[in-house]
């Protein structure tokens, strides 16, 4: 069954606004990753956060992880039209060697 | 450019055809993956290879046959496919095996089965 579930499924914002996407998962994890996918293309890795970390930053991206709530959030600040894409969280389960991806959030940034 | 290439980018095949998808990574990674991405469904892991050895076969029908001749190349051989196999097939690689490593994806092969 699906491990990660993103929320919302779709998000439309104005350029310059912040975008927040959430990911919830069911079982304990070692790592959680966020990826971006432009339409019909391959996925691009954004951030990896380990289970003993609470927050990570990369440029305009901020990821938080709350293992007690089994949830993570991805914040994109000062969004740009080029941020329009689908965003996926991916988790591993316990000692699993594979990633399980959620269904994604489709983000539209209007110029 | 992620360092992972896939060919062909688009493929249309009939249900009786045999074709192969090719993936090549130029990153010196030890693990390679095949994923299937269908419309409105999460990314599905199909196969995992680590150091050229298959470590995961995720209940994939036998009409999909992977091959990993060396750590840089991965193939997916297709035969007698069904229309529901139409999807975007993504290859990925990572430095090591496991969720603690980021994966680098190729651009995908858009497969249409007629």
């Amino acid at each position: 069954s699906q491990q990660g579930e993103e929320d919302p499924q779709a998000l439309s914002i104005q350029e310059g606004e912040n975008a927040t996407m959430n990911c919830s998962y069911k079982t304990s994890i070692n790592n959680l990753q966020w990826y971006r996918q432009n339409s019909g293309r391959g996925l691009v890795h954004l951030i990896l956060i380990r289970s003993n970390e609470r927050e990570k930053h990369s440029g305009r991206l901020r990821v938080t992880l709350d293992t007690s709530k089994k949830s993570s959030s991805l914040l994109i600040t000062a969004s740009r039209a080029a941020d329009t894409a689908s965003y996926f969280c991916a988790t591993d389960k316990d000692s699993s060697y594979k990633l399980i991806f959620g269904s994604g959030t489709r983000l539209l940034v209007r110029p | 450019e992620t360092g992972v290439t896939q060919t062909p980018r688009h493929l249309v095949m009939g249900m009786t055809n045999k074709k192969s998808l090719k993936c090549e990574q130029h990153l010196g990674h030890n693990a390679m993956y095949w994923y299937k991405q269908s419309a409105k469904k999460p990314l599905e892991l199909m196969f995992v290879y680590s150091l050229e050895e298959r470590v995961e076969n995720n209940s994939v029908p036998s009409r999909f046959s992977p091959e990993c001749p060396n750590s840089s190349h991965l193939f997916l051989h297709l035969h007698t496919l069904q229309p529901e196999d139409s999807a975007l097939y993504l290859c990925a690689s990572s430095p090591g095996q496991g969720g603690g490593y980021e994966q680098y994806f190729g651009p995908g092969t858009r497969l249409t089965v007629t």
Side-chain angles (χ1 to χ4, degrees), chain A residues 3-5 22-29 32 64-73 89 91 94:
Chain A
Q3 168 73 327
E5 193 69 46
N22 302 297
C23 170
S24 59
Y25 55 91
K26 298 186 176 91
T27 63
S28 62
I29 61 170
L32 185 145
T64 61
L65 178 64
D66 187 334
T67 53
S68 67
K69 294 181 179 177
K70 293 188 171 59
S71 68
S72 173
S73 68
C89 70
T91 56
D94 297 323

CSV table of all heavy atoms in Angstrom, one decimal, chain A residues 3-5 22-29 32 64-73 89 91 94:
chain,number,residue,atom,x,y,z
A,3,GLN,N,2.8,4.5,0.9
A,3,GLN,CA,3.4,4.9,2.1
A,3,GLN,C,3.2,6.4,2.3
A,3,GLN,O,2.8,6.8,3.4
A,3,GLN,CB,4.9,4.5,2.1
A,3,GLN,CG,5.7,5.1,3.2
A,3,GLN,CD,5.5,4.6,4.6
A,3,GLN,OE1,4.4,4.2,4.9
A,3,GLN,NE2,6.5,4.5,5.4
A,4,GLY,N,3.6,7.2,1.3
A,4,GLY,CA,3.5,8.6,1.4
A,4,GLY,C,2.2,9.2,0.7
A,4,GLY,O,1.8,8.7,-0.3
A,5,GLU,N,1.6,10.2,1.3
A,5,GLU,CA,0.4,10.8,0.8
A,5,GLU,C,0.6,12.3,0.8
A,5,GLU,O,0.7,12.8,1.9
A,5,GLU,CB,-0.8,10.3,1.5
A,5,GLU,CG,-2.1,10.6,0.9
A,5,GLU,CD,-2.4,9.8,-0.4
A,5,GLU,OE1,-2.1,8.6,-0.3
A,5,GLU,OE2,-2.7,10.3,-1.4
A,22,ASN,N,2.3,19.1,2.0
A,22,ASN,CA,2.4,18.2,3.1
A,22,ASN,C,2.5,16.8,2.6
A,22,ASN,O,2.0,16.4,1.6
A,22,ASN,CB,1.3,18.4,4.1
A,22,ASN,CG,1.2,19.8,4.6
A,22,ASN,OD1,2.0,20.4,5.2
A,22,ASN,ND2,0.1,20.5,4.2
A,23,CYS,N,3.2,16.0,3.5
A,23,CYS,CA,3.3,14.5,3.2
A,23,CYS,C,3.0,13.8,4.5
A,23,CYS,O,3.6,14.1,5.5
A,23,CYS,CB,4.7,14.3,2.6
A,23,CYS,SG,5.1,12.5,2.5
A,24,SER,N,2.1,12.8,4.4
A,24,SER,CA,1.9,12.0,5.6
A,24,SER,C,2.3,10.5,5.2
A,24,SER,O,2.1,10.1,4.1
A,24,SER,CB,0.5,12.1,6.1
A,24,SER,OG,-0.4,11.7,5.1
A,25,TYR,N,2.8,9.8,6.2
A,25,TYR,CA,3.1,8.4,6.0
A,25,TYR,C,2.7,7.6,7.1
A,25,TYR,O,2.3,8.1,8.2
A,25,TYR,CB,4.6,8.3,5.7
A,25,TYR,CG,5.5,8.9,6.8
A,25,TYR,CD1,5.9,8.1,7.9
A,25,TYR,CD2,5.9,10.2,6.8
A,25,TYR,CE1,6.7,8.6,8.9
A,25,TYR,CE2,6.7,10.7,7.8
A,25,TYR,CZ,7.1,9.9,8.9
A,25,TYR,OH,7.9,10.4,9.9
A,26,LYS,N,2.7,6.2,6.9
A,26,LYS,CA,2.0,5.4,7.8
A,26,LYS,C,3.0,4.7,8.8
A,26,LYS,O,2.6,4.5,10.0
A,26,LYS,CB,1.2,4.3,7.1
A,26,LYS,CG,0.1,4.9,6.2
A,26,LYS,CD,-0.8,3.8,5.6
A,26,LYS,CE,-1.9,4.4,4.8
A,26,LYS,NZ,-1.6,4.6,3.4
A,27,THR,N,4.1,4.2,8.3
A,27,THR,CA,5.0,3.4,9.2
A,27,THR,C,6.3,4.2,9.5
A,27,THR,O,6.6,5.2,8.8
A,27,THR,CB,5.4,2.1,8.5
A,27,THR,OG1,6.1,2.3,7.3
A,27,THR,CG2,4.1,1.3,8.2
A,28,SER,N,7.1,3.7,10.4
A,28,SER,CA,8.3,4.4,10.8
A,28,SER,C,9.3,4.4,9.6
A,28,SER,O,9.3,3.5,8.8
A,28,SER,CB,8.9,3.8,12.0
A,28,SER,OG,9.3,2.5,11.7
A,29,ILE,N,10.1,5.4,9.5
A,29,ILE,CA,11.0,5.6,8.4
A,29,ILE,C,12.4,5.9,8.9
A,29,ILE,O,12.6,6.3,10.0
A,29,ILE,CB,10.5,6.7,7.5
A,29,ILE,CG1,10.5,8.1,8.2
A,29,ILE,CG2,9.2,6.4,6.8
A,29,ILE,CD1,10.3,9.3,7.3
A,32,LEU,N,13.3,10.5,4.5
A,32,LEU,CA,12.2,11.0,3.7
A,32,LEU,C,12.9,12.0,2.6
A,32,LEU,O,13.7,12.8,3.0
A,32,LEU,CB,11.2,11.8,4.5
A,32,LEU,CG,9.9,12.2,3.8
A,32,LEU,CD1,8.7,12.1,4.7
A,32,LEU,CD2,10.1,13.6,3.2
A,64,THR,N,10.5,20.3,6.7
A,64,THR,CA,10.4,19.9,8.1
A,64,THR,C,9.9,18.4,8.2
A,64,THR,O,9.2,17.9,7.3
A,64,THR,CB,9.4,20.8,8.9
A,64,THR,OG1,8.1,20.6,8.3
A,64,THR,CG2,9.8,22.2,8.8
A,65,LEU,N,10.3,17.8,9.3
A,65,LEU,CA,9.9,16.4,9.5
A,65,LEU,C,9.4,16.3,11.0
A,65,LEU,O,10.1,16.7,11.9
A,65,LEU,CB,11.0,15.5,9.2
A,65,LEU,CG,10.8,14.0,9.5
A,65,LEU,CD1,9.7,13.4,8.5
A,65,LEU,CD2,12.1,13.2,9.3
A,66,ASP,N,8.2,15.7,11.2
A,66,ASP,CA,7.7,15.5,12.5
A,66,ASP,C,7.4,14.0,12.6
A,66,ASP,O,6.4,13.5,12.1
A,66,ASP,CB,6.4,16.3,12.7
A,66,ASP,CG,5.9,16.2,14.2
A,66,ASP,OD1,6.2,15.2,14.8
A,66,ASP,OD2,5.2,17.1,14.6
A,67,THR,N,8.3,13.2,13.1
A,67,THR,CA,8.2,11.8,13.2
A,67,THR,C,7.1,11.4,14.1
A,67,THR,O,6.5,10.3,14.0
A,67,THR,CB,9.5,11.1,13.6
A,67,THR,OG1,10.0,11.7,14.8
A,67,THR,CG2,10.5,11.3,12.5
A,68,SER,N,6.7,12.2,15.1
A,68,SER,CA,5.7,11.8,16.0
A,68,SER,C,4.3,11.9,15.3
A,68,SER,O,3.4,11.1,15.6
A,68,SER,CB,5.6,12.8,17.3
A,68,SER,OG,5.3,14.1,16.9
A,69,LYS,N,4.2,12.8,14.4
A,69,LYS,CA,2.9,12.9,13.6
A,69,LYS,C,3.0,12.2,12.3
A,69,LYS,O,2.1,12.2,11.5
A,69,LYS,CB,2.6,14.4,13.3
A,69,LYS,CG,2.3,15.2,14.6
A,69,LYS,CD,2.0,16.6,14.3
A,69,LYS,CE,1.6,17.4,15.5
A,69,LYS,NZ,1.3,18.8,15.3
A,70,LYS,N,4.2,11.6,12.0
A,70,LYS,CA,4.4,10.9,10.7
A,70,LYS,C,4.1,11.9,9.5
A,70,LYS,O,3.3,11.5,8.7
A,70,LYS,CB,3.7,9.6,10.6
A,70,LYS,CG,4.2,8.5,11.6
A,70,LYS,CD,3.5,7.2,11.3
A,70,LYS,CE,4.1,6.1,12.1
A,70,LYS,NZ,4.1,6.3,13.6
A,71,SER,N,4.7,13.0,9.6
A,71,SER,CA,4.4,14.0,8.5
A,71,SER,C,5.6,14.8,8.2
A,71,SER,O,6.5,15.0,9.0
A,71,SER,CB,3.2,14.9,8.9
A,71,SER,OG,3.5,15.7,9.9
A,72,SER,N,5.6,15.4,7.0
A,72,SER,CA,6.7,16.3,6.5
A,72,SER,C,6.0,17.4,5.7
A,72,SER,O,4.9,17.2,5.1
A,72,SER,CB,7.7,15.5,5.7
A,72,SER,OG,8.6,16.4,5.1
A,73,SER,N,6.7,18.5,5.7
A,73,SER,CA,6.2,19.6,4.8
A,73,SER,C,7.3,20.2,4.0
A,73,SER,O,8.5,20.2,4.4
A,73,SER,CB,5.5,20.7,5.6
A,73,SER,OG,6.5,21.4,6.4
A,89,CYS,N,6.8,13.3,-2.3
A,89,CYS,CA,7.6,12.8,-1.2
A,89,CYS,C,7.9,11.3,-1.4
A,89,CYS,O,7.0,10.6,-2.0
A,89,CYS,CB,7.0,13.1,0.2
A,89,CYS,SG,5.5,12.1,0.5
A,91,THR,N,9.5,7.8,0.9
A,91,THR,CA,10.0,7.4,2.1
A,91,THR,C,10.5,5.9,2.0
A,91,THR,O,10.1,5.2,1.1
A,91,THR,CB,8.8,7.3,3.2
A,91,THR,OG1,7.8,6.5,2.7
A,91,THR,CG2,8.3,8.7,3.5
A,94,ASP,N,11.5,1.5,7.7
A,94,ASP,CA,12.5,0.8,8.5
A,94,ASP,C,13.8,0.5,7.8
A,94,ASP,O,14.4,1.5,7.4
A,94,ASP,CB,11.8,-0.6,9.0
A,94,ASP,CG,10.6,-0.3,9.9
A,94,ASP,OD1,10.6,0.7,10.6
A,94,ASP,OD2,9.6,-1.0,9.7
